[in-house]
Amino acid sequence: MNAQFDFTGKNVFIFGGTSGINLGIAQSFAINGATVAVASRIQAKVDAAVAVLKELGSNAHGYSLDVRQVEDVKAAVTAFHDTVGPIDILVSGAAGNFPAPALGMSANAFRSVIDIDLMGTFHVCQSAYDVLRKPGASIINISAPQAYVPMIMQSHVCAAKAGVDMITRTLALEWGGAGVRVNSVVPGPIDNTEGMDRLAPTQEARAATIQSVPLGRMGEASEIAHAAMFLSSDAAAYISGVVLPVDGGWSLGGAPSAMAAKLAGG
Ligand code: HXC
Ligand code: NAP
């Protein structure tokens, strides 16, 4: 299902938009009329994503960069502004993850995830501020349930994404006066993504994940895109500073779905 919005004439810049959930978000904005830019480290992924977005009719742009390098992030948003114009919708979704126990992780391993997810989000939001369309711009930071549900082998991601959500809330306070809204979207387990391949690499782990979701299934990237589009639309003009789970109820931490289905008479 592809929800319909009208983003004709809007400029969207998606950091980490070259694969998985973020590419799904980029595609949805493209389908709904936006000019879309994506940025990530690997040039081949950037080129492939731009080609996909152009096929969907978007005047797409791509930048190869690492969000850990603030000067490169600044250069990309400036180049986009100079060729296309102000950014209406900014999505910060670049992230790294690998399962590792706290005791089995080097300081550099922990720091890598903090630098990509947390520092990267700060770099992206701060660098883009000057070229956001004001008033009216929307920032979406892509978080994870690890921000508020502690998870074994995820101390780095838990710390980083909790920080991402506090950046969301702080910037909503600091930038609201300029008419910039800032929200987090929190995907639950999303099918066919690098994130789930890393966290649930076996059929058993996949089944256990599905069992733990009240709605009894993994989500689709398009379902995260719907939330990002809603929060960036005029329908959400009075929504800022929210952290919105889109996770089939997973983060409620309730009963496994099979047991719940019995309770519900299913
Ligand atoms: C322990 C590890 C490790 C592992 C890497 N490291 N993988 N330590 N277990 N499995 C260590 C390395 O040994 C090194 O430490 C340090 O981390 C940095 O590794 P590099 O490979 O040099 O880093 P880099 O090339 O910058 O790559 C970053 C990365 C990589 C995060 C390590 O995995 C990556 O690029 N990931 C991007 C794609 C991704 O992760 N997508 C999923 C996002 S999903 P030393 O000490 O040896 O130098 C997500 C949330 C999902 O974010 C939530 C689902 C519910
Ligand atoms: P993914 O396909 O690996 O997406 C990560 C993106 O970020 C890629 O485009 C990657 O491209 C880019 N990236 C990684 N490190 C970067 C860096 N240092 N600088 C610039 N770009 C970088 O993974 P995904 O599973 O779809 O996850 C997407 C987002 O959703 C992440 O924020 C993740 O935390 C969040 N999330 C995912 C799930 C899930 O179920 N998958 C659940 C909750 C939250 P390059 O490799 O080219 O850099």
Side-chain angles (χ1 to χ4, degrees), residues 110-212:
F110 190 92
R111 189 181 303 112
S112 295
V113 170
I114 297 289
D115 280 351
I116 300 169
D117 296 26
L118 181 56
M119 291 306 299
T121 298
F122 179 70
H123 293 158
V124 165
C125 293
Q126 191 195 47
S127 300
Y129 183 79
D130 282 346
V131 301
L132 293 177
R133 195 184 305 277
K134 297 186 272 299
S138 159
I139 298 178
I140 306 290
N141 292 324
I142 305 300
S143 182
Q146 286 90 327
Y148 42 86
V149 180
M151 221 177 273
I152 58 165
M153 301 212 271
Q154 291 282 276
S155 60
H156 46 348
V157 176
C158 291
K161 293 291 194 179
V164 166
D165 287 347
M166 287 311 281
I167 288 179
T168 291
R169 294 184 175 111
T170 312
L171 298 189
L173 288 177
E174 291 194 10
W175 297 353
V180 175
R181 299 182 299 106
V182 190
N183 295 293
S184 282
V185 170
V186 188
I190 303 303
D191 217 354
N192 302 311
T193 59
E194 184 66 26
M196 282 319 295
D197 286 351
R198 290 180 182 220
L199 291 192
T202 63
Q203 278 308 318
E204 291 71 27
R206 229 184 106 76
T209 301
I210 290 168
Q211 267 281 317
S212 68

Side-chain angles (χ1 to χ4, degrees), residues 15-23 39-43 45-46 65-68 92-97 115-117 142-146 157 161 185-199 218 224:
F15 283 84
T18 62
S19 60
I21 292 172
N22 303 321
L23 178 57
S40 79
R41 293 166 302 177
I42 300 169
Q43 185 71 56
K45 284 179 71 173
V46 173
L65 56 81
D66 190 320
V67 294
R68 290 170 281 195
S92 175
N97 191 7
D115 280 351
I116 300 169
D117 296 26
I142 305 300
S143 182
Q146 286 90 327
V157 176
K161 293 291 194 179
V185 170
V186 188
I190 303 303
D191 217 354
N192 302 311
T193 59
E194 184 66 26
M196 282 319 295
D197 286 351
R198 290 180 182 220
L199 291 192
M218 291 201 199
I224 306 306

Side-chain angles (χ1 to χ4, degrees), residues 21 71-72 89 118 171 176 183 216 220 227 234 237-238 247 263:
I21 292 172
E71 293 304 328
D72 295 347
I89 296 152
L118 181 56
L171 298 189
N183 295 293
E220 303 293 330
D234 290 343
Y238 202 49
D247 66 357
L263 290 174

